[in-house]
Amino acid sequence: MRALLRLISVNIIVILLAGITTNGYTQTPKRHNKHSLRDSLRQKVLQRDSMARLYRHTDGSINDLVSRIEDYTTQYNQISNDLSKGFDTLEISQRLPQLEKRMALMKSTIDHSTTLGYLFTIRDMIDHITEQMAVWETQLGTYSDELDKMREALAKFKADTALRTAPDDSSLQVKYYLQVQELEKKWAKIDSCTKRSIIRIGFLENGVSTLSILLIDLDDRIDTKIHLFTLKATENEYGFLWDMHKMDRLDTALSRSYSLNFRLYKYFFTSKANYYPHLGFVILFIAFLGWIIASKRRTARIKDNAQTIFDQTHYIVKHPFASAIAVTAVIGTYFYDHPPQVFAQTTLLLMLAALGFLISNNFPKPLFRFWAVLMPVTVLLSLSNLLILIPYADRWLLFILSGIAIYAAYRLLQEMKTATNDAEIKNDYPPHLQVVLKVFIALNAISALMNITGRFSLAKITGTTAAFNLCLAMGMYILIQILMESLFLQLEANKSADTQSLTSYLDFKIVQKKFKDVLVKVSVILWLIALAQNLNIDDYLYDQANDFLSNKHQFSSTAFTFGSILTFIIVIWISGLLARVISYFYDFTGQQQTKLTPKAKKTRSSILLIRLTIFTIGFFVAITAAGIPMDRVTIVIGALGVGIGFGLQNIVNNLVSGIILAFEKPVQVGDIIEVSGKSGTITEIGIRSSKISRGDGSELIVPNGDLISQHVVNWTLSDNNRQIELIVGVAYGSDVAKVEALLKKILTGNDDIMTSPAPAVFLHNFSDSAVDFKLLFWAADISTWARLKSNIMAQIYTEFAKEGIEIPHPKRDIQVYFPESSTPENIAKLQRPTKNPPATDQ
């Protein structure tokens, strides 16, 4: 029994111990899981840091060697990646030999060319190539700097003596030697690639430098040739026309000119510098042709009177393709910087062909016959202008063409003089054509005279300039007509009741009046640029203008340039133009509304704030663009303050008053006001003055200061209502109650009279001949008060007549008194005239 109890006790103890052990094992992982991931990662970082600190304290030299090897490995990997990408020198390598051959051709052309135009053309090409050389030099210089940095990094490896010391630990020496050996292999490979790149870049740099020197030499040759040409141009360089001097053969001149022009054409169209101008040329043609066709189709689709609209155009509807070619040929030439003559002559001939279609049925017959003569003359002059050599036949050709041009222009002048009496025929001719023809005749006569006297170069320049610029002037005239017709068709196509677009707010007559002058001015500027190019003086004028604008001038302690002043003026002009455009849209939208709501009035009145904001921003932008320091601006403002104190008080007063009107808005655009005894509707609130439209068609200009300082009656400040007062008189003896009831009936029965406030009738006064009643009633719209008053007066007159109520009129009794001795017989005798009046004493 005792043994059994002992066994049971042992088993119980074992079970208890097993339970305690089990609970202990199961609780330990639960406490471990309570640690977050952040704590465990932080513990690992601390453990690694402690190991690293322990390692550094054990052997510092090993750490330094490992760090150096890692740094060099990183640098070499970066250099290797850069070298693997390579240096983009393919274009330079391919184009350098081509340019060297082209330079040799240009040198030969300069030596043999006898025309001034091609010397300028070649110089323009040299300028373009020089710009390309500058880009290549910059690119190669950047590559060379990168290679120098690589060489410096490679040189540090060989100069680093620390890598030659092995670590003391024998177990690390083998591993260290292997890493250094691998690094040396990588260094040798990178060093070899770097040397090859340096040699290649250096070779290209030498080629570009050599070509740049050659370009400078060619430019000096051209300047010398042009200088000699200028000296000989005024002399008898080729002898008189009838002298058979030895000149170049015609076939040689044609072959060499064709070869050179073909190469110029090829270079011009394949040059990457002309990629964007070529693209713009094509886009202009496609966009303008698409614009015309889209406007035409839209007009035909939405307009019932489309044919009537089409009949008002002369060019774009009948000849859309020719119109697009004409516009592109006239404008597209200006996309290029000094294009070669062969391209300029091509666009000129393209413009002539397009204008031939456009003017065939739109110009008077005499003018079209002149154009039919001018076209072949210009074509032959264009071909003659492309010759780089001067054959003897070219002189006779220029002389004959000058005579034909003079005869055709003189004949047109005579026909225009006979048509001056007919106003319709006279208006069909372009403006100032007679003056242009006289100048054309004079230039051709000068050309023929200089050709006869042996000054063929000047004769050719004068004759070709006269023909080319006359054709360009006609092209500019047609260009303006085409643009105005295109705008007209666009506006008509968008005038639809269903859609409201930007162009629907434009009126063609207003646009034509405002923007046609701008187009004319721009056309004149472009024509003058073409004239300078044809005379080969554009570069000279540009250099002179650049020197004039960029040279600094000293005024007291202030330095300035005329270029900065011009920039300031242009920016201010652009801001003013922008303000006028915005004002136009506000004014036009307001004019389309017969009644302005209060919100619309505030919107139109805010135009003053917009204009002031634009002018202020434009002023500061102009100062920044012109490079004017702000301290100088403060000096100018101080000077203006002195001027204000003496004589500009009124101007500044009106300016400040305009700003007050813009913010306070006591009067707004569209308000009906009375000021200084004159009334009208405000149509514009400007910076200095405001415009008031009166009922008689006149406009009153009122300074803004008067609208602030004087008593102003604003009829429409809060609303558009107006009270009407009417005095009606009836004869004495009339039934007062009946009259009052009748007047109330008339007022309450009219729908145009406001019911609140209600109309009122009062017995007003007892005058000399009538009993006066006062009628007070309100018109909802002040613009209709005069018509409403007239209608009420007419109804009163009609109703009074029906009811037998008399409206009295003033009466005057005249009494005549005669003396007592006067009798009717004596009075009649005095009134009878006598035949012979008695003579009076002198």
Side-chain angles (χ1 to χ4, degrees):
M1 189 68 181
R2 184 179 298 175
L4 180 61
L5 292 173
R6 187 182 297 174
L7 179 62
I8 293 172
S9 300
V10 171
N11 289 331
I12 293 172
I13 293 172
V14 170
I15 292 173
L16 291 175
L17 291 175
I20 293 172
T21 306
T22 304
N23 291 335
Y25 284 131
T26 55
Q27 289 176 2
T28 301
K30 289 182 181 180
R31 288 194 300 267
H32 180 73
N33 290 336
K34 289 181 181 179
H35 293 284
S36 63
L37 179 62
R38 181 183 303 171
D39 296 335
S40 63
L41 293 175
R42 184 179 294 125
Q43 185 176 2
K44 293 179 180 179
V45 170
L46 294 175
Q47 184 178 3
R48 286 195 297 268
D49 289 343
S50 62
M51 293 177 63
R53 286 194 296 269
L54 179 62
Y55 178 74
R56 291 192 185 98
H57 287 295
T58 55
D59 193 353
S61 61
I62 296 177
N63 293 331
D64 182 65
L65 293 176
V66 172
S67 176
R68 288 175 181 271
I69 292 175
E70 290 180 352
D71 292 339
Y72 286 125
T73 303
T74 303
Q75 291 180 7
Y76 291 168
N77 289 334
Q78 182 65 37
I79 295 174
S80 179
N81 292 332
D82 294 338
L83 291 175
S84 62
K85 293 178 182 178
F87 299 99
D88 187 11
T89 58
L90 180 62
E91 180 185 1
I92 303 176
S93 302
Q94 291 179 350
R95 293 189 60 187
L96 264 181
Q98 299 176 2
L99 290 178
E100 290 175 355
K101 295 180 180 179
R102 192 168 294 157
M103 291 299 101
L105 177 63
M106 287 183 180
K107 182 178 180 181
S108 176
T109 305
I110 293 170
D111 295 335
H112 295 88
S113 179
T114 55
T115 59
L116 186 62
Y118 269 94
L119 292 176
F120 283 104
T121 300
I122 295 175
R123 188 171 70 176
D124 295 335
M125 293 179 61
I126 290 175
D127 292 339
H128 290 304
I129 297 175
T130 303
E131 293 176 359
Q132 184 64 56
M133 292 298 104
V135 174
W136 286 353
E137 286 180 353
T138 304
Q139 183 179 356
L140 293 175
T142 303
Y143 293 160
S144 180
D145 293 340
E146 293 179 1
L147 290 172
D148 289 341
K149 293 179 180 179
M150 294 179 186
R151 290 287 297 172
E152 291 178 1
L154 294 174
K156 288 181 180 179
F157 176 76
K158 285 297 182 180
D160 193 353
T161 58
L163 295 176
R164 300 174 185 175
T165 303
D168 297 335
D169 191 352
S170 59
S171 61
L172 297 176
Q173 289 181 358
V174 177
K175 184 177 181 180
Y176 173 76
Y177 285 139
L178 291 176
Q179 289 182 352
V180 173
Q181 187 178 5
E182 184 67 25
L183 193 60
E184 288 179 347
K185 291 180 180 179
K186 186 176 293 187
W187 177 90
K189 181 179 179 181
I190 294 174
D191 184 64
S192 176
C193 294
T194 305
K195 288 180 179 179
R196 289 196 299 269
S197 298
I198 291 175
I199 294 173
R200 186 174 73 255
I201 298 299
F203 177 77
L204 293 177
E205 284 183 325
N206 291 334
V208 171
S209 300
T210 303
L211 195 58
S212 299
I213 295 173
L214 182 59
L215 288 171
I216 295 174
D217 179 64
L218 292 180
D219 193 43
D220 293 338
R221 282 174 177 265
I222 290 177
D223 291 338
T224 304
K225 190 92 173 181
I226 292 175
H227 180 68
L228 295 176
F229 186 90
T230 305
L231 294 177
K232 293 181 180 179
T234 56
E235 301 176 356
N236 191 349
E237 52 182 342
Y238 294 105
F240 292 99
L241 184 62
W242 50 82
D243 294 337
M244 299 296 292
H245 287 275
K246 184 178 180 181
M247 302 180 70
D248 298 312
R249 292 173 54 88
L250 180 61
D251 54 350
T252 304
L254 291 175
S255 62
R256 289 188 177 181
S257 300
Y258 172 78
S259 177
L260 177 61
N261 287 300
F262 179 78
R263 288 188 175 94
L264 287 176
Y265 237 131
K266 183 179 179 181
Y267 168 75
F268 180 75
F269 280 102
T270 57
S271 175
K272 290 186 176 181
N274 297 323
Y275 172 77
Y276 290 107
H278 293 336
L279 183 62
F281 198 91
V282 175
I283 291 177
L284 176 62
F285 172 76
I286 296 175
F288 193 82
L289 181 62
W291 181 28
I292 295 175
I293 295 176
S295 299
K296 181 180 177 181
R297 290 180 178 178
R298 180 176 175 82
T299 303
R301 185 175 67 253
I302 68 174
K303 293 289 184 179
D304 297 332
N305 58 339
Q307 190 58 42
T308 304
I309 296 175
F310 293 157
D311 293 338
Q312 299 181 43
T313 62
H314 302 286
Y315 305 106
I316 61 174
V317 174
K318 298 178 182 178
H319 306 287
F321 192 77
S323 299
I325 291 178
V327 172
T328 307
V330 173
I331 301 178
T333 311
Y334 297 95
F335 290 170
Y336 302 90
D337 182 18
H338 292 83
Q341 286 191 3
V342 61
F343 177 75
Q345 310 303 331
T346 303
T347 55
L348 179 65
L349 298 180
L350 189 65
M351 182 193 71
L352 292 176
L355 294 183
F357 286 98
L358 297 174
I359 69 177
S360 58
N361 297 322
N362 297 305
F363 276 20
K365 291 183 179 180
L367 184 56
F368 181 72
R369 286 196 297 267
F370 171 74
W371 185 263
V373 176
L374 183 63
M375 282 185 62
V377 170
T378 306
V379 171
L380 293 175
L381 286 175
S382 299
L383 297 176
S384 174
N385 204 38
L386 296 178
L387 297 175
I388 63 173
L389 302 177
I390 301 178
Y392 190 72
D394 193 20
R395 295 188 62 184
W396 278 103
L397 177 64
L398 179 61
F399 182 76
I400 294 172
L401 293 178
S402 298
I404 294 174
I406 292 173
Y407 172 75
Y410 178 77
R411 183 179 177 184
L412 178 60
L413 276 176
Q414 297 300 320
E415 291 176 342
M416 289 182 66
K417 288 181 180 179
T418 58
T420 53
N421 297 327
D422 194 340
E424 294 184 359
I425 298 178
K426 185 179 179 180
N427 293 332
D428 291 338
Y429 290 94
H432 313 296
L433 182 59
Q434 292 184 353
V435 178
V436 172
L437 289 175
K438 292 178 182 178
V439 175
F440 178 74
I441 292 174
L443 291 176
N444 278 280
I446 294 172
S447 175
L449 182 62
M450 288 190 295
N451 192 7
I452 292 174
T453 57
R455 294 160 179 83
F456 177 70
S457 299
L458 293 179
K460 195 169 189 178
I461 292 174
T462 305
T464 54
T465 299
F468 293 168
N469 279 86
L470 178 59
C471 294
L472 184 59
M474 298 295 292
M476 292 289 184
Y477 174 77
I478 299 297
L479 171 67
I480 295 174
Q481 305 300 319
I482 291 174
L483 292 178
M484 298 308 298
E485 287 186 2
S486 303
L487 185 59
F488 166 74
L489 194 63
Q490 174 70 29
L491 297 180
E492 292 295 329
N494 287 339
K495 285 183 179 179
S496 175
D498 299 333
T499 60
Q500 292 291 333
S501 60
L502 177 63
T503 54
S504 63
Y505 288 99
L506 298 176
D507 182 68
F508 177 71
K509 293 183 179 180
I510 299 177
V511 172
Q512 185 181 29
K513 181 180 179 181
K514 289 182 177 293
F515 295 103
K516 191 173 182 179
D517 291 340
V518 177
L519 292 177
V520 172
K521 293 176 182 178
V522 172
S523 300
V524 170
I525 294 174
L526 295 179
W527 186 84
L528 291 175
I529 293 174
L531 177 63
Q533 291 177 350
N534 290 329
L535 293 175
N536 296 315
I537 59 174
D538 53 332
D539 289 334
Y540 172 77
L541 294 178
Y542 175 79
D543 293 337
Q544 293 297 321
N546 187 32
D547 294 339
F548 175 76
L549 295 176
S550 60
N551 289 336
K552 291 186 177 181
H553 302 273
Q554 195 75 20
F555 179 76
S556 183
S557 61
T558 304
F560 69 94
T561 62
F562 288 106
S564 61
I565 297 176
L566 181 61
T567 302
F568 181 84
I569 295 174
I570 290 175
V571 175
I572 292 295
W573 177 79
I574 292 175
S575 61
L577 179 63
L578 182 61
R580 286 196 297 271
V581 170
I582 296 175
S583 300
Y584 166 76
F585 282 106
Y586 271 86
D587 291 341
F588 185 79
T589 53
Q591 292 170 5
Q592 307 307 307
Q593 300 177 9
T594 58
K595 181 180 178 181
L596 289 176
T597 62
K599 183 178 180 180
K601 290 181 180 179
K602 291 181 180 179
T603 302
R604 290 194 65 194
S605 299
S606 62
I607 186 62
L608 177 59
L609 292 176
I610 297 176
R611 293 177 63 182
L612 287 174
T613 303
I614 293 175
F615 276 121
T616 303
I617 295 175
F619 176 75
F620 285 105
V621 171
I623 290 175
T624 304
I628 302 175
M630 291 302 297
D631 55 350
R632 299 294 187 271
V633 178
T634 57
I635 294 174
V636 173
I637 294 176
L640 288 177
V642 176
I644 291 170
F646 284 100
L648 301 178
Q649 298 97 331
N650 291 333
I651 296 177
V652 176
N653 178 30
N654 293 326
L655 176 62
V656 175
S657 299
I659 298 175
I660 294 174
L661 291 175
F663 282 98
E664 188 177 344
K665 293 183 174 59
V667 293
Q668 300 178 23
V669 175
D671 284 348
I672 300 175
I673 67 170
E674 292 182 9
V675 57
S676 301
K678 296 179 181 179
S679 62
T681 304
I682 297 180
T683 58
E684 179 183 348
I685 300 177
I687 297 177
R688 188 195 64 84
S689 61
S690 300
K691 294 180 180 180
I692 298 177
S693 177
R694 304 189 65 193
D696 56 0
S698 63
E699 286 188 339
L700 182 65
I701 309 299
V702 180
N704 291 332
D706 293 348
L707 298 178
I708 296 296
S709 60
Q710 297 187 9
H711 297 285
V712 178
V713 178
N714 192 339
W715 289 95
T716 56
L717 179 61
S718 301
D719 52 46
N720 289 332
N721 304 335
R722 173 164 178 172
Q723 186 185 54
I724 303 173
E725 179 180 334
L726 189 61
I727 303 298
V728 178
V730 298
Y732 280 99
S734 301
D735 189 350
V736 176
K738 180 180 179 182
V739 173
E740 184 177 357
L742 184 60
L743 292 175
K744 288 184 177 181
K745 179 181 178 182
I746 293 173
L747 296 179
T748 54
N750 195 306
D751 296 335
D752 294 333
I753 296 177
M754 297 177 60
T755 58
S756 179
V761 178
F762 303 99
L763 183 60
H764 178 59
N765 189 24
F766 297 105
S767 61
D768 294 338
S769 59
V771 178
D772 295 333
F773 287 85
K774 179 188 287 188
L775 284 69
L776 298 176
F777 54 93
W778 288 81
D781 189 357
I782 192 173
S783 61
T784 63
W785 77 272
R787 178 178 56 82
L788 179 60
K789 180 179 179 181
S790 175
N791 293 338
I792 296 299
M793 292 178 66
Q795 292 182 28
I796 292 174
Y797 184 83
T798 302
E799 294 297 330
F800 278 10
K802 290 180 181 179
E803 298 296 333
I805 300 174
E806 180 184 357
I807 300 177
H809 56 275
K811 296 180 181 180
R812 297 292 183 267
D813 295 333
I814 300 176
Q815 296 180 1
V816 181
Y817 295 93
F818 295 99
E820 295 180 356
S821 60
S822 300
T823 60
E825 292 80 4
N826 294 334
I827 294 173
K829 187 176 182 179
L830 291 173
Q831 292 178 349
R832 189 181 301 117
T834 59
K835 295 182 178 179
N836 297 319
T840 59
D841 296 335
Q842 298 296 329

